[in-house]
Amino acid sequence: MKHLLSIEELTAAQITGLLADAARLKAERGHHAEQPLAGQTWAMIFTKSSTRTRVSFEVGIRELGGKAIFLSKNEIQLGRGEPIKDTARVLGRMVHGAIIRTFAQEDVVDFAAYSGIPTINALTDDEHPCQILADLLTVQELLGSWEGKKIAFIGDGFSNMTISWMWAAKRLGFELAVGAPPEYQPSPDFLAKLDASNVTVTSDPAAAVAGAHVINTDVWLSMGQEDQKDKESAFGPFQVNADLLAGAAADHIVLHCLPAYRGKEITEDVLELHADTIFQEAENRLHAQKAVMAALAT
Ligand code: CP
Ligand code: NVA
């Protein structure tokens, strides 16, 4: 594994291997025997806002022995139009790895190709692979495994989070039900490419949640869509609330990648009832990403 650009490109063995490493790094936090990033500097290039991703990577890099440089797009020439391929060729000669949060998946792919250094997708419009690794780690910790479990994703059916979850289901074989308004469901072309009979898509949120062991949601307006307020009107029936969860498996858990908008995709009472799980999920970003960086470090 040279980069982490998507869940799509991972094999099941790579995913389970990273999760095993993440669990070990979590248990060994504070007394790591190895420092795989010792002497290294990793650049973090962010074009979108972040709390969890930024902090977990900066802390993770330090705990693995390295140093992070945070570069927001507007502080570097990228923000004034310098092409990603030139930025990549400069940084590739100076730093040892890169973590990129941006809009186009193509930019992360191009950065990896032109820089020649390990490159991690820290969220694009197409995928959020680091979050899904943390989510799977949380499922493993709380439910033992995803095998034989039904996972539901309620909300925007064609966002970075849903796309990454659909690829995780394809690779790992668990049942995934996506409940989304008709106009925000995965495209037929995407579903044909995914070609996964274990992934179903429905406009009926209750059907998606029925018997589910894991109920996952995310914002209705992803970063970059803030001016699409009219989009929200389609999502009312897709709020994760106590009524909707009444149809889930008795021992269900609720995941939210955060940030959460209470009263929109999730109610205050549901978020607070499941806060232990949701903030465990947030913490797991740190452990999952340390496993990724340790695997990629050269
Ligand atoms: N879940 C997540 O990626 O959070 P941030 O946007 O705060 O990094
Ligand atoms: N779908 C959300 C995820 C935030 C972590 C977004 O892209 O804004």
Side-chain angles (χ1 to χ4, degrees):
M1 206 177 132
K2 205 160 181 273
H3 308 287
L4 175 66
L5 304 182
S6 64
I7 296 291
E8 176 183 358
E9 70 183 4
L10 296 181
T11 63
Q14 285 173 325
I15 295 172
T16 53
L18 287 170
L19 296 180
D21 290 347
R24 183 178 49 75
L25 287 164
K26 184 171 182 174
E28 292 173 358
R29 189 176 183 204
H31 44 93
H32 294 315
E34 290 172 16
Q35 298 269 282
L37 303 193
Q40 297 199 0
T41 303
W42 283 50
M44 299 172 56
I45 306 166
F46 279 44
T47 300
K48 292 175 173 171
S49 306
S50 172
T51 298
R52 280 143 288 270
T53 307
R54 176 175 178 173
V55 175
S56 55
F57 269 111
E58 290 201 22
V59 171
I61 289 167
R62 196 174 64 73
E63 292 187 4
L64 295 179
K67 177 170 172 34
I69 307 180
F70 185 81
L71 303 166
S72 96
K73 181 191 168 187
N74 292 330
E75 291 167 3
I76 58 175
Q77 300 289 7
L78 189 65
R80 296 180 60 246
E82 185 168 22
I84 195 85
K85 63 183 181 181
D86 292 358
T87 307
R89 283 178 285 190
V90 172
L91 292 187
R93 289 163 182 264
M94 297 182 183
V95 300
H96 303 88
I99 295 144
I100 305 180
R101 167 168 284 204
T102 192
F103 293 88
Q105 179 73 16
E106 196 187 356
D107 284 350
V108 181
V109 171
D110 286 350
F111 189 98
Y114 281 94
S115 68
I117 54 174
T119 301
I120 298 174
N121 174 359
L123 181 148
T124 62
D125 289 346
D126 287 8
E127 280 231 26
H128 197 359
C130 296
Q131 182 70 54
I132 271 53
L133 291 173
D135 293 4
L136 290 170
L137 179 61
T138 311
V139 170
Q140 211 169 51
E141 288 172 339
L142 295 174
L143 303 182
S145 166
W146 45 77
E147 275 174 33
K149 302 290 191 301
K150 177 180 177 183
I151 299 185
F153 196 104
I154 305 299
D156 188 344
F158 208 24
S159 69
N160 42 20
M161 282 296 299
T162 333
I163 292 169
S164 289
W165 265 106
M166 288 190 280
W167 283 116
K170 168 78 178 183
R171 298 291 175 246
L172 299 173
F174 55 78
E175 181 185 356
L176 177 69
V178 176
E183 55 275 55
Y184 299 107
Q185 294 184 356
S187 70
D189 283 354
F190 175 84
L191 290 174
K193 181 178 161 196
L194 185 74
D195 188 25
S197 56
N198 53 320
V199 175
T200 56
V201 180
T202 173
S203 308
D204 178 357
V209 167
H213 304 89
V214 179
I215 297 86
N216 210 328
T217 190
D218 181 22
V219 293
W220 293 338
L221 299 180
S222 284
M223 287 181 276
Q225 300 179 341
E226 291 80 2
D227 58 352
Q228 297 176 32
K229 287 284 174 210
D230 51 332
K231 179 180 171 187
E232 288 186 324
S233 60
F235 285 91
F238 296 86
Q239 181 186 67
V240 175
N241 56 35
D243 284 350
L244 187 64
L245 292 176
D251 53 352
H252 67 266
I253 63 170
V254 172
L255 297 180
H256 193 311
C257 63
L258 302 173
Y261 290 86
R262 291 161 168 84
K264 297 215 167 170
E265 76 275 4
I266 193 165
T267 53
E268 168 80 13
D269 60 321
V270 168
L271 193 144
E272 292 302 334
L273 186 63
H274 294 275
D276 286 351
T277 301
I278 290 169
F279 291 102
Q280 180 174 333
E281 175 190 6
E283 180 195 323
N284 281 339
R285 295 291 305 277
L286 171 66
H287 312 300
Q289 290 158 195
K290 283 168 75 176
V292 171
M293 290 187 287
L296 298 183
T298 50

